[in-house]
Amino acid sequence: MHSTMQNYPLTITAILRHATSVHRARRVTAATEGGYRQCSYRELGQQAAQLANVLRRIGITGDQRVATFMWNNIEHLTTYLAVPAMGAVLHTLNIRLFADQIAYIANEAGDAVIVVDMSLAALLAPILPRLDSVHTVIAVGDGDTAPLEHGRKTVLRYADVLARESTEFSWPDLDEYSAAAMCYTSGTTGNPKGVVYSHRSSFLHAMAVCTSNGIGIGSTDCVLPVVPMFHANAWGLPYAALMAGADLVLPDRHLDARSLIGMIEKLRPTVAGAVPTIWNDVMHYLEKDPAHDISSLRLVACGGSAVPMSLMRTFEEKYGVQIRQLWGMTETSPMATMAWPPPGTPDHQHWALRATQGQPVCGVEARIVDDDGTVLPNDGKAVGELEVRGPWIAGSYYLGRDESKFDSGWLRTGDVGRIDPQGFITLTDRAKDVIKSGGEWISSVELENVLIAHPDVIEAAVVGVPDERWQERPLAVIVAREGSSVSAEQLRAFLADKVVRWWLPERWTFVDAIPRTSVGKFDKKAIRARYAQNDYAVSEVRD
Amino acid sequence: MHSTMQNYPLTITAILRHATSVHRARRVTAATEGGYRQCSYRELGQQAAQLANVLRRIGITGDQRVATFMWNNIEHLTTYLAVPAMGAVLHTLNIRLFADQIAYIANEAGDAVIVVDMSLAALLAPILPRLDSVHTVIAVGDGDTAPLEHGRKTVLRYADVLARESTEFSWPDLDEYSAAAMCYTSGTTGNPKGVVYSHRSSFLHAMAVCTSNGIGIGSTDCVLPVVPMFHANAWGLPYAALMAGADLVLPDRHLDARSLIGMIEKLRPTVAGAVPTIWNDVMHYLEKDPAHDISSLRLVACGGSAVPMSLMRTFEEKYGVQIRQLWGMTETSPMATMAWPPPGTPDHQHWALRATQGQPVCGVEARIVDDDGTVLPNDGKAVGELEVRGPWIAGSYYLGRDESKFDSGWLRTGDVGRIDPQGFITLTDRAKDVIKSGGEWISSVELENVLIAHPDVIEAAVVGVPDERWQERPLAVIVAREGSSVSAEQLRAFLADKVVRWWLPERWTFVDAIPRTSVGKFDKKAIRARYAQNDYAVSEVRD
């Protein structure tokens, strides 16, 4: 017996058609230096058609790669629609990577064209001559394109070439399994690895973001993706907003707390997504300058690193804004889990569950395995490496790189943690950041979460450092509040009743800034290296 | 370039795994004669495994059909999981069809087993001997199974046979395109036609129901599907609730207003779905007996026939309960559109849009075509037959019946209406119920909607009847409130400033009840026949 259902492919083209017809009147607003620019979804669709015409004219056919080197703005959103819908593959280059990484990535992906924001031209120009496959650069915005010309590439002006094209394009019928977009992981070890999203995975992920157990984006929302569109497709928020017919607010390069608060007050987004650092900045800004209203936000999705409980409670209790943890990675599109405690959960347990990485959304399955690959029980106690599978989870890397990350149909996340009987996942560490002390594991992340709740601590990173007796012991790296004289003894005392005794760090160092990776996460490899090179003034505190 | 995403099939098995693990503690509660029965989703999964073991033991393999003849209860929900997840096909027989139709349907589908509720045994027993392919009947509940034995089938007791089986079952890996369930349309003309849902279409439809632009079911919800589980899979609400980890309340056969209000007060569902007639009954009950609280409902999805504006306003203004129109049919799984006006819509326009059938949810595309198949503009004026397409829309009927309903990839819905520029669909009639008067179309549905708003009108149906001068003119069939002496003249005057002059019916008849089809819709074919046979006392009113 055969199903009698239509064979309707799940494609970004379907999102494009839906957004630009049914939701044609909805608006995307992008921040600029002095104000805002706007267009309707109908106009966005016309611009996408113009861009697709330009790309066809300069020879883009089949599944060739069109790269972007862009902030979150209307032109970047246009590439999100035009490139996959014309059958080509959108490759969002991460502008925060090092030049060598960018060159490696663009060459491996074989990018044919790069769409670059003129504010980033100076960053791209020196790399351009090394990008062998790139033949054309399309420059968005004003300014001198001369530096780009040195790359021996054809340089076109986005506005000029689009203006000459038709606002209609005959979007091809596509197989839902075909490649739509690619992102590279920004791993701190080894070369970056490419993840190639399909039309199907992008469509399903956007749909999952629109479900209530995801972010629940609907046509009454206005969405502010602060998370960069070059980072795991801005958590799928742009496609989800287009699918739902929600308005979009794009911050371009204006990512400081003051600019963001201004945008929120003026444009009143209901949903936003950004890493904890951003919301930490917003919180500190509002503490100093409380006469701002961010209450239009019904939900802030927050992920990329563990979200401190203190941050969530402050936003909810002081500003009426709910922060919910989302967990995922480039390989998971990225939304895999969301922290929504079940209804009727008592208050203290509610907050304990809010502090977890959450439950898998339907479509995603999660399990933990030990070093031998044995599946461990979801009893809230056993600790192992998290593995996930699902229709928007990577099953390999581009060109088959690093096969060790895949375990017969499951993605090995490199995260270590436990799962409770209801599927709530608590990640205690990156596998490579776990501190192994006297044969037992200490969670650097849990120590960091407690430390950050101290009123004098602005940032805290904990890494394992060699110890003669215990093999490894934790080192706490602290950024203290300006003017504070908090001591290692005081912080150790603060920790004492919150974690088990043998977790208490003996080694402490106070710094002005914690080294970060190109995507803004703590660079624990660099921290360990600096410790090893005696770059830190370390105080030792013992009882 | 190939996508690197996992090849993870979208199946009801995935919903089963998710619901019974991550959401294992959530509960399904079913109404009984004197109270309620409950089980957790974990227990539901164990019962599904037991049922699958029973079905394998009695020879169900491959894609054989397992039929149900059941109310909305835990056992029916168990078949929803067990049958498709074991690879077989769930065939929900509509208990309200005529015996001949049921026999025709079960034979065409080739049902091998029927799971029957003992409260329906007397209804099924006389048909059973005519069901050639059925070899086993599984009887749910207590009572004498003797009448079923006359059908020369093996009769098993559900509780007895399940109790002997393991609560584990090795669910097979399934292709997402394989058949999962089938429903027959209950068309008033011709033989019923089978729609075969795939695992993929069921998964995607459930996901769409969980999106905010759908019904937005999430883990904080408790869902009451009043719409029968034998009717278009209860609008997909059971699968959506399982996917979302929402609690379920199943009313079994207790569908009268008093029972439903009792369930709502006691179990506090947040979402419910039922046809307008049910909510009309609830409204009238609450008018007489207002000391009841139905405010736990945040959203009532309502469809199956046009939802009167007066009903929506009364629920919202008097009881704080939002009714939203959903439009669909068996062929569309059924949710195709939902009426969510965009934010910021002025009040009068908001209500005008709420009265439409709504916008397509993402994944569904809609268009209107004229008699020649030419696509008409979405200008809110052109009227034509509605056609839809999408991943959960039928592309054919089982065994290729009635190919005229499909138009190169689109389903011809048989509904006539217009679409506005934002995709809001207003259905003015069934194609076969449109009244053609003097070369112009009169919408029977719009006349009915205005009439039902009159305080003395309980029900109103309008059909076209032959007219010498105008070819057809409307006949209004009215059920007046008990004790009311409202006249045709008064109702015509009531209509006069609400519809164009030439729509005003001259022919009126007052009846005790309007003929309905087996699924409770106005049977306009029967109304026209009674008019033709002079069964009605018709008053003629002219100016």
Side-chain angles (χ1 to χ4, degrees), chain A residues 1 4 6 8 17 22 63 176 196 200 210 212-213 216 219 244 365 389-390 393 395, chain B residues 1 4 6 8 17 63 176 196 200 210 212-213 216 219 244 365 389-390 393 395 422:
Chain A
M1 156 167 272
T4 63
Q6 292 177 13
Y8 181 98
R17 275 198 303 267
V22 168
D63 60 5
E176 70 184 44
V196 185
R200 170 184 165 98
C210 291
S212 286
N213 287 354
S219 63
E365 297 182 48
R389 67 175 183 182
I393 311 283
Chain B
M1 154 169 272
T4 64
Q6 293 177 13
Y8 181 99
R17 276 198 303 269
D63 61 4
E176 70 184 45
V196 184
R200 170 186 165 97
C210 291
S212 286
N213 287 354
S219 63
E365 297 182 48
R389 66 175 184 182
I393 311 284
Q422 294 193 71

mmCIF file of all heavy atoms in Angstrom, chain A residues 1 4 6 8 17 22 63 176 196 200 210 212-213 216 219 244 365 389-390 393 395, chain B residues 1 4 6 8 17 63 176 196 200 210 212-213 216 219 244 365 389-390 393 395 422:
data_model
loop_
_atom_site.group_PDB
_atom_site.id
_atom_site.type_symbol
_atom_site.label_atom_id
_atom_site.label_comp_id
_atom_site.label_asym_id
_atom_site.label_seq_id
_atom_site.Cartn_x
_atom_site.Cartn_y
_atom_site.Cartn_z
ATOM 1 N N MET A 1 0.845 -1.204 0.000
ATOM 2 C CA MET A 1 0.000 0.000 0.000
ATOM 3 C C MET A 1 0.875 1.247 0.000
ATOM 4 O O MET A 1 1.788 1.366 0.818
ATOM 5 C CB MET A 1 -0.864 -0.044 1.267
ATOM 6 C CG MET A 1 -1.360 1.288 1.743
ATOM 7 S SD MET A 1 -2.648 1.077 2.988
ATOM 8 C CE MET A 1 -4.107 0.956 1.977
ATOM 9 N N THR A 4 -0.847 8.153 -0.276
ATOM 10 C CA THR A 4 -1.400 8.957 -1.377
ATOM 11 C C THR A 4 -1.046 10.435 -1.225
ATOM 12 O O THR A 4 -1.665 11.293 -1.858
ATOM 13 C CB THR A 4 -2.942 8.817 -1.439
ATOM 14 O OG1 THR A 4 -3.491 9.344 -0.223
ATOM 15 C CG2 THR A 4 -3.370 7.379 -1.614
ATOM 16 N N GLN A 6 1.033 14.003 -1.444
ATOM 17 C CA GLN A 6 1.827 14.655 -2.479
ATOM 18 C C GLN A 6 3.313 14.542 -2.166
ATOM 19 O O GLN A 6 3.710 14.475 -1.014
ATOM 20 C CB GLN A 6 1.460 16.147 -2.579
ATOM 21 C CG GLN A 6 0.066 16.412 -3.094
ATOM 22 C CD GLN A 6 -0.278 17.893 -3.108
ATOM 23 O OE1 GLN A 6 0.596 18.754 -2.954
ATOM 24 N NE2 GLN A 6 -1.554 18.194 -3.275
ATOM 25 N N TYR A 8 5.884 16.699 -2.016
ATOM 26 C CA TYR A 8 6.186 18.133 -1.975
ATOM 27 C C TYR A 8 7.505 18.312 -1.246
ATOM 28 O O TYR A 8 7.601 18.003 -0.058
ATOM 29 C CB TYR A 8 5.059 18.848 -1.231
ATOM 30 C CG TYR A 8 5.199 20.344 -1.120
ATOM 31 C CD1 TYR A 8 4.528 21.189 -1.999
ATOM 32 C CD2 TYR A 8 5.979 20.928 -0.128
ATOM 33 C CE1 TYR A 8 4.630 22.560 -1.898
ATOM 34 C CE2 TYR A 8 6.089 22.303 -0.022
ATOM 35 C CZ TYR A 8 5.418 23.118 -0.905
ATOM 36 O OH TYR A 8 5.515 24.479 -0.796
ATOM 37 N N ARG A 17 8.741 31.385 -1.150
ATOM 38 C CA ARG A 17 7.409 31.607 -1.737
ATOM 39 C C ARG A 17 6.407 32.009 -0.658
ATOM 40 O O ARG A 17 5.610 32.929 -0.840
ATOM 41 C CB ARG A 17 6.901 30.329 -2.413
ATOM 42 C CG ARG A 17 7.375 30.137 -3.841
ATOM 43 C CD ARG A 17 6.495 29.123 -4.587
ATOM 44 N NE ARG A 17 6.463 27.833 -3.910
ATOM 45 C CZ ARG A 17 7.288 26.825 -4.187
ATOM 46 N NH1 ARG A 17 8.214 26.945 -5.112
ATOM 47 N NH2 ARG A 17 7.186 25.680 -3.533
ATOM 48 N N VAL A 22 2.232 35.109 1.256
ATOM 49 C CA VAL A 22 1.338 35.196 2.412
ATOM 50 C C VAL A 22 1.792 36.288 3.390
ATOM 51 O O VAL A 22 0.979 37.019 3.941
ATOM 52 C CB VAL A 22 1.280 33.819 3.110
ATOM 53 C CG1 VAL A 22 0.615 33.920 4.467
ATOM 54 C CG2 VAL A 22 0.550 32.808 2.230
ATOM 55 N N ASP A 63 25.394 23.591 -8.151
ATOM 56 C CA ASP A 63 25.550 23.768 -6.707
ATOM 57 C C ASP A 63 26.841 24.513 -6.368
ATOM 58 O O ASP A 63 27.482 24.245 -5.344
ATOM 59 C CB ASP A 63 25.493 22.416 -5.997
ATOM 60 C CG ASP A 63 26.591 21.476 -6.477
ATOM 61 O OD1 ASP A 63 27.445 21.913 -7.285
ATOM 62 O OD2 ASP A 63 26.603 20.313 -6.038
ATOM 63 N N GLU A 176 14.847 18.013 -2.036
ATOM 64 C CA GLU A 176 15.014 18.514 -0.671
ATOM 65 C C GLU A 176 16.323 18.045 -0.026
ATOM 66 O O GLU A 176 16.779 18.650 0.937
ATOM 67 C CB GLU A 176 13.822 18.132 0.208
ATOM 68 C CG GLU A 176 13.694 16.663 0.548
ATOM 69 C CD GLU A 176 12.423 16.373 1.350
ATOM 70 O OE1 GLU A 176 11.355 16.912 0.995
ATOM 71 O OE2 GLU A 176 12.503 15.622 2.333
ATOM 72 N N VAL A 196 27.424 20.759 5.724
ATOM 73 C CA VAL A 196 26.608 21.151 4.576
ATOM 74 C C VAL A 196 25.135 20.874 4.881
ATOM 75 O O VAL A 196 24.718 19.718 4.968
ATOM 76 C CB VAL A 196 27.037 20.401 3.297
ATOM 77 C CG1 VAL A 196 26.239 20.918 2.098
ATOM 78 C CG2 VAL A 196 28.538 20.556 3.053
ATOM 79 N N ARG A 200 16.143 20.307 3.061
ATOM 80 C CA ARG A 200 15.284 19.611 4.017
ATOM 81 C C ARG A 200 15.661 19.951 5.456
ATOM 82 O O ARG A 200 14.802 20.283 6.270
ATOM 83 C CB ARG A 200 15.443 18.101 3.782
ATOM 84 C CG ARG A 200 14.822 17.196 4.836
ATOM 85 C CD ARG A 200 15.175 15.747 4.471
ATOM 86 N NE ARG A 200 14.954 14.789 5.528
ATOM 87 C CZ ARG A 200 13.859 14.013 5.635
ATOM 88 N NH1 ARG A 200 12.899 14.128 4.750
ATOM 89 N NH2 ARG A 200 13.747 13.142 6.603
ATOM 90 N N CYS A 210 9.979 27.214 15.114
ATOM 91 C CA CYS A 210 8.633 27.809 15.200
ATOM 92 C C CYS A 210 7.694 27.040 16.125
ATOM 93 O O CYS A 210 6.609 27.532 16.430
ATOM 94 C CB CYS A 210 8.010 27.915 13.806
ATOM 95 S SG CYS A 210 8.825 29.132 12.756
ATOM 96 N N SER A 212 6.246 25.490 19.650
ATOM 97 C CA SER A 212 6.226 26.069 20.998
ATOM 98 C C SER A 212 7.352 25.539 21.869
ATOM 99 O O SER A 212 7.867 26.264 22.711
ATOM 100 C CB SER A 212 4.887 25.787 21.672
ATOM 101 O OG SER A 212 3.915 26.618 21.092
ATOM 102 N N ASN A 213 7.737 24.279 21.694
ATOM 103 C CA ASN A 213 8.848 23.746 22.483
ATOM 104 C C ASN A 213 10.197 24.231 21.971
ATOM 105 O O ASN A 213 11.214 24.010 22.613
ATOM 106 C CB ASN A 213 8.843 22.214 22.484
ATOM 107 C CG ASN A 213 7.726 21.652 23.330
ATOM 108 O OD1 ASN A 213 7.022 22.396 24.012
ATOM 109 N ND2 ASN A 213 7.563 20.344 23.302
ATOM 110 N N GLY A 216 9.019 29.036 19.336
ATOM 111 C CA GLY A 216 7.615 29.400 19.166
ATOM 112 C C GLY A 216 7.397 30.662 18.360
ATOM 113 O O GLY A 216 6.495 31.446 18.647
ATOM 114 N N SER A 219 3.447 34.617 13.642
ATOM 115 C CA SER A 219 3.253 35.842 12.866
ATOM 116 C C SER A 219 3.019 37.063 13.752
ATOM 117 O O SER A 219 2.986 38.182 13.260
ATOM 118 C CB SER A 219 2.100 35.665 11.877
ATOM 119 O OG SER A 219 0.897 35.446 12.579
ATOM 120 N N ALA A 244 7.520 31.960 9.485
ATOM 121 C CA ALA A 244 6.403 32.304 10.372
ATOM 122 C C ALA A 244 5.737 33.616 9.983
ATOM 123 O O ALA A 244 4.655 33.922 10.472
ATOM 124 C CB ALA A 244 6.893 32.386 11.810
ATOM 125 N N GLU A 365 17.183 13.215 19.001
ATOM 126 C CA GLU A 365 17.351 12.236 20.072
ATOM 127 C C GLU A 365 18.736 12.411 20.672
ATOM 128 O O GLU A 365 19.690 12.712 19.963
ATOM 129 C CB GLU A 365 17.209 10.817 19.514
ATOM 130 C CG GLU A 365 15.817 10.556 18.957
ATOM 131 C CD GLU A 365 15.671 9.124 18.451
ATOM 132 O OE1 GLU A 365 16.054 8.192 19.179
ATOM 133 O OE2 GLU A 365 15.178 8.958 17.324
ATOM 134 N N ARG A 389 21.164 12.618 17.400
ATOM 135 C CA ARG A 389 20.824 12.329 16.009
ATOM 136 C C ARG A 389 19.479 12.981 15.679
ATOM 137 O O ARG A 389 18.701 13.308 16.586
ATOM 138 C CB ARG A 389 20.787 10.827 15.741
ATOM 139 C CG ARG A 389 19.673 10.093 16.454
ATOM 140 C CD ARG A 389 19.651 8.616 16.010
ATOM 141 N NE ARG A 389 18.525 7.924 16.645
ATOM 142 C CZ ARG A 389 18.264 6.632 16.486
ATOM 143 N NH1 ARG A 389 19.030 5.888 15.733
ATOM 144 N NH2 ARG A 389 17.230 6.084 17.087
ATOM 145 N N GLY A 390 19.240 13.147 14.396
ATOM 146 C CA GLY A 390 17.996 13.788 13.971
ATOM 147 C C GLY A 390 18.125 14.347 12.577
ATOM 148 O O GLY A 390 19.216 14.347 12.006
ATOM 149 N N ILE A 393 20.741 17.131 12.033
ATOM 150 C CA ILE A 393 22.033 16.892 12.689
ATOM 151 C C ILE A 393 23.001 16.327 11.648
ATOM 152 O O ILE A 393 22.613 15.479 10.840
ATOM 153 C CB ILE A 393 21.877 15.856 13.832
ATOM 154 C CG1 ILE A 393 20.699 16.198 14.749
ATOM 155 C CG2 ILE A 393 23.193 15.687 14.600
ATOM 156 C CD1 ILE A 393 20.915 17.295 15.717
ATOM 157 N N GLY A 395 25.720 14.161 9.794
ATOM 158 C CA GLY A 395 26.105 12.754 9.823
ATOM 159 C C GLY A 395 27.527 12.558 9.327
ATOM 160 O O GLY A 395 28.070 11.449 9.359
ATOM 161 N N MET B 1 28.030 18.649 -4.864
ATOM 162 C CA MET B 1 28.241 18.749 -3.416
ATOM 163 C C MET B 1 27.047 18.125 -2.715
ATOM 164 O O MET B 1 25.900 18.448 -3.011
ATOM 165 C CB MET B 1 28.366 20.224 -3.051
ATOM 166 C CG MET B 1 27.989 20.582 -1.637
ATOM 167 S SD MET B 1 28.480 22.260 -1.214
ATOM 168 C CE MET B 1 30.133 22.014 -0.637
ATOM 169 N N THR B 4 25.651 17.086 4.214
ATOM 170 C CA THR B 4 26.270 16.174 5.188
ATOM 171 C C THR B 4 25.310 15.845 6.328
ATOM 172 O O THR B 4 25.730 15.371 7.375
ATOM 173 C CB THR B 4 27.556 16.787 5.783
ATOM 174 O OG1 THR B 4 27.206 17.963 6.523
ATOM 175 C CG2 THR B 4 28.563 17.131 4.704
ATOM 176 N N GLN B 6 22.321 14.002 8.494
ATOM 177 C CA GLN B 6 21.912 12.614 8.711
ATOM 178 C C GLN B 6 20.646 12.295 7.924
ATOM 179 O O GLN B 6 19.813 13.167 7.690
ATOM 180 C CB GLN B 6 21.640 12.355 10.207
ATOM 181 C CG GLN B 6 22.855 12.426 11.080
ATOM 182 C CD GLN B 6 22.518 12.239 12.554
ATOM 183 O OE1 GLN B 6 21.423 11.830 12.918
ATOM 184 N NE2 GLN B 6 23.478 12.571 13.395
ATOM 185 N N TYR B 8 17.681 10.908 8.629
ATOM 186 C CA TYR B 8 16.838 10.507 9.758
ATOM 187 C C TYR B 8 15.390 10.571 9.299
ATOM 188 O O TYR B 8 14.886 11.646 8.977
ATOM 189 C CB TYR B 8 17.081 11.481 10.911
ATOM 190 C CG TYR B 8 16.289 11.194 12.163
ATOM 191 C CD1 TYR B 8 16.879 10.516 13.230
ATOM 192 C CD2 TYR B 8 14.968 11.628 12.313
ATOM 193 C CE1 TYR B 8 16.169 10.268 14.402
ATOM 194 C CE2 TYR B 8 14.259 11.377 13.474
ATOM 195 C CZ TYR B 8 14.868 10.703 14.512
ATOM 196 O OH TYR B 8 14.168 10.464 15.671
ATOM 197 N N ARG B 17 8.952 7.298 20.281
ATOM 198 C CA ARG B 17 10.176 7.284 21.104
ATOM 199 C C ARG B 17 10.295 8.566 21.923
ATOM 200 O O ARG B 17 10.627 8.537 23.102
ATOM 201 C CB ARG B 17 11.426 7.168 20.212
ATOM 202 C CG ARG B 17 11.800 5.757 19.814
ATOM 203 C CD ARG B 17 13.261 5.683 19.336
ATOM 204 N NE ARG B 17 13.529 6.576 18.222
ATOM 205 C CZ ARG B 17 13.411 6.234 16.932
ATOM 206 N NH1 ARG B 17 13.037 5.016 16.603
ATOM 207 N NH2 ARG B 17 13.685 7.098 15.982
ATOM 208 N N ASP B 63 2.420 -4.066 5.617
ATOM 209 C CA ASP B 63 1.550 -2.892 5.688
ATOM 210 C C ASP B 63 0.073 -3.280 5.745
ATOM 211 O O ASP B 63 -0.792 -2.589 5.207
ATOM 212 C CB ASP B 63 1.832 -1.951 4.522
ATOM 213 C CG ASP B 63 1.578 -2.619 3.178
ATOM 214 O OD1 ASP B 63 1.108 -3.781 3.172
ATOM 215 O OD2 ASP B 63 1.849 -1.983 2.153
ATOM 216 N N GLU B 176 10.132 6.895 5.608
ATOM 217 C CA GLU B 176 9.160 7.929 5.963
ATOM 218 C C GLU B 176 8.034 8.058 4.943
ATOM 219 O O GLU B 176 6.971 8.594 5.264
ATOM 220 C CB GLU B 176 9.842 9.283 6.189
ATOM 221 C CG GLU B 176 10.391 9.956 4.953
ATOM 222 C CD GLU B 176 11.121 11.245 5.282
ATOM 223 O OE1 GLU B 176 11.918 11.267 6.239
ATOM 224 O OE2 GLU B 176 10.893 12.246 4.580
ATOM 225 N N VAL B 196 -4.459 7.967 2.131
ATOM 226 C CA VAL B 196 -3.451 7.199 2.865
ATOM 227 C C VAL B 196 -2.328 8.136 3.302
ATOM 228 O O VAL B 196 -1.564 8.636 2.478
ATOM 229 C CB VAL B 196 -2.881 6.054 2.006
ATOM 230 C CG1 VAL B 196 -1.916 5.205 2.835
ATOM 231 C CG2 VAL B 196 -4.012 5.186 1.446
ATOM 232 N N ARG B 200 5.795 10.365 7.029
ATOM 233 C CA ARG B 200 6.307 11.713 6.807
ATOM 234 C C ARG B 200 5.197 12.762 6.936
ATOM 235 O O ARG B 200 5.351 13.751 7.635
ATOM 236 C CB ARG B 200 6.920 11.771 5.401
ATOM 237 C CG ARG B 200 7.299 13.145 4.891
ATOM 238 C CD ARG B 200 7.759 13.005 3.427
ATOM 239 N NE ARG B 200 7.833 14.252 2.698
ATOM 240 C CZ ARG B 200 8.958 14.954 2.526
ATOM 241 N NH1 ARG B 200 10.084 14.545 3.054
ATOM 242 N NH2 ARG B 200 8.961 16.063 1.813
ATOM 243 N N CYS B 210 2.114 22.082 15.981
ATOM 244 C CA CYS B 210 2.877 22.585 17.137
ATOM 245 C C CYS B 210 3.500 23.957 16.901
ATOM 246 O O CYS B 210 3.998 24.576 17.835
ATOM 247 C CB CYS B 210 3.973 21.591 17.521
ATOM 248 S SG CYS B 210 3.320 20.063 18.220
ATOM 249 N N SER B 212 3.626 28.003 16.198
ATOM 250 C CA SER B 212 2.778 29.083 16.711
ATOM 251 C C SER B 212 1.711 29.506 15.715
ATOM 252 O O SER B 212 0.623 29.891 16.118
ATOM 253 C CB SER B 212 3.630 30.287 17.094
ATOM 254 O OG SER B 212 4.310 30.002 18.281
ATOM 255 N N ASN B 213 2.015 29.467 14.434
ATOM 256 C CA ASN B 213 1.001 29.815 13.436
ATOM 257 C C ASN B 213 -0.020 28.697 13.241
ATOM 258 O O ASN B 213 -1.032 28.900 12.577
ATOM 259 C CB ASN B 213 1.637 30.139 12.087
ATOM 260 C CG ASN B 213 2.331 31.486 12.099
ATOM 261 O OD1 ASN B 213 2.258 32.227 13.072
ATOM 262 N ND2 ASN B 213 3.015 31.794 11.015
ATOM 263 N N GLY B 216 0.148 25.812 18.035
ATOM 264 C CA GLY B 216 1.174 26.167 19.017
ATOM 265 C C GLY B 216 1.192 25.265 20.235
ATOM 266 O O GLY B 216 1.432 25.729 21.352
ATOM 267 N N SER B 219 4.833 21.871 25.584
ATOM 268 C CA SER B 219 4.846 20.994 26.761
ATOM 269 C C SER B 219 4.107 21.605 27.949
ATOM 270 O O SER B 219 3.903 20.933 28.950
ATOM 271 C CB SER B 219 6.279 20.640 27.143
ATOM 272 O OG SER B 219 6.981 21.811 27.515
ATOM 273 N N ALA B 244 4.700 17.091 21.341
ATOM 274 C CA ALA B 244 5.019 18.258 22.164
ATOM 275 C C ALA B 244 5.171 17.901 23.639
ATOM 276 O O ALA B 244 5.661 18.704 24.417
ATOM 277 C CB ALA B 244 3.922 19.313 22.008
ATOM 278 N N GLU B 365 0.463 25.575 0.255
ATOM 279 C CA GLU B 365 0.235 26.665 -0.697
ATOM 280 C C GLU B 365 -1.197 26.596 -1.192
ATOM 281 O O GLU B 365 -1.732 25.503 -1.365
ATOM 282 C CB GLU B 365 1.196 26.545 -1.884
ATOM 283 C CG GLU B 365 2.642 26.675 -1.467
ATOM 284 C CD GLU B 365 3.592 26.596 -2.660
ATOM 285 O OE1 GLU B 365 3.351 27.290 -3.665
ATOM 286 O OE2 GLU B 365 4.565 25.829 -2.575
ATOM 287 N N ARG B 389 -1.646 22.643 -2.150
ATOM 288 C CA ARG B 389 -0.600 21.614 -2.251
ATOM 289 C C ARG B 389 0.319 21.733 -1.049
ATOM 290 O O ARG B 389 0.346 22.759 -0.371
ATOM 291 C CB ARG B 389 0.178 21.730 -3.561
ATOM 292 C CG ARG B 389 1.000 22.980 -3.698
ATOM 293 C CD ARG B 389 1.841 22.919 -5.001
ATOM 294 N NE ARG B 389 2.702 24.091 -5.080
ATOM 295 C CZ ARG B 389 3.522 24.346 -6.091
ATOM 296 N NH1 ARG B 389 3.585 23.534 -7.127
ATOM 297 N NH2 ARG B 389 4.281 25.422 -6.088
ATOM 298 N N GLY B 390 1.047 20.671 -0.774
ATOM 299 C CA GLY B 390 1.955 20.671 0.371
ATOM 300 C C GLY B 390 2.265 19.264 0.812
ATOM 301 O O GLY B 390 1.664 18.297 0.319
ATOM 302 N N ILE B 393 -0.693 17.094 2.044
ATOM 303 C CA ILE B 393 -1.902 17.201 1.232
ATOM 304 C C ILE B 393 -1.936 15.993 0.274
ATOM 305 O O ILE B 393 -0.910 15.629 -0.283
ATOM 306 C CB ILE B 393 -1.878 18.498 0.376
ATOM 307 C CG1 ILE B 393 -1.529 19.721 1.225
ATOM 308 C CG2 ILE B 393 -3.181 18.678 -0.391
ATOM 309 C CD1 ILE B 393 -2.595 20.253 2.098
ATOM 310 N N GLY B 395 -2.285 13.703 -2.898
ATOM 311 C CA GLY B 395 -2.022 13.869 -4.327
ATOM 312 C C GLY B 395 -2.821 12.893 -5.165
ATOM 313 O O GLY B 395 -2.810 12.939 -6.387
ATOM 314 N N GLN B 422 -2.836 38.954 1.319
ATOM 315 C CA GLN B 422 -2.033 38.331 2.364
ATOM 316 C C GLN B 422 -2.368 36.856 2.562
ATOM 317 O O GLN B 422 -1.987 36.262 3.566
ATOM 318 C CB GLN B 422 -2.211 39.078 3.679
ATOM 319 C CG GLN B 422 -1.639 40.485 3.613
ATOM 320 C CD GLN B 422 -1.542 41.099 4.985
ATOM 321 O OE1 GLN B 422 -0.726 40.705 5.803
ATOM 322 N NE2 GLN B 422 -2.404 42.051 5.249
#
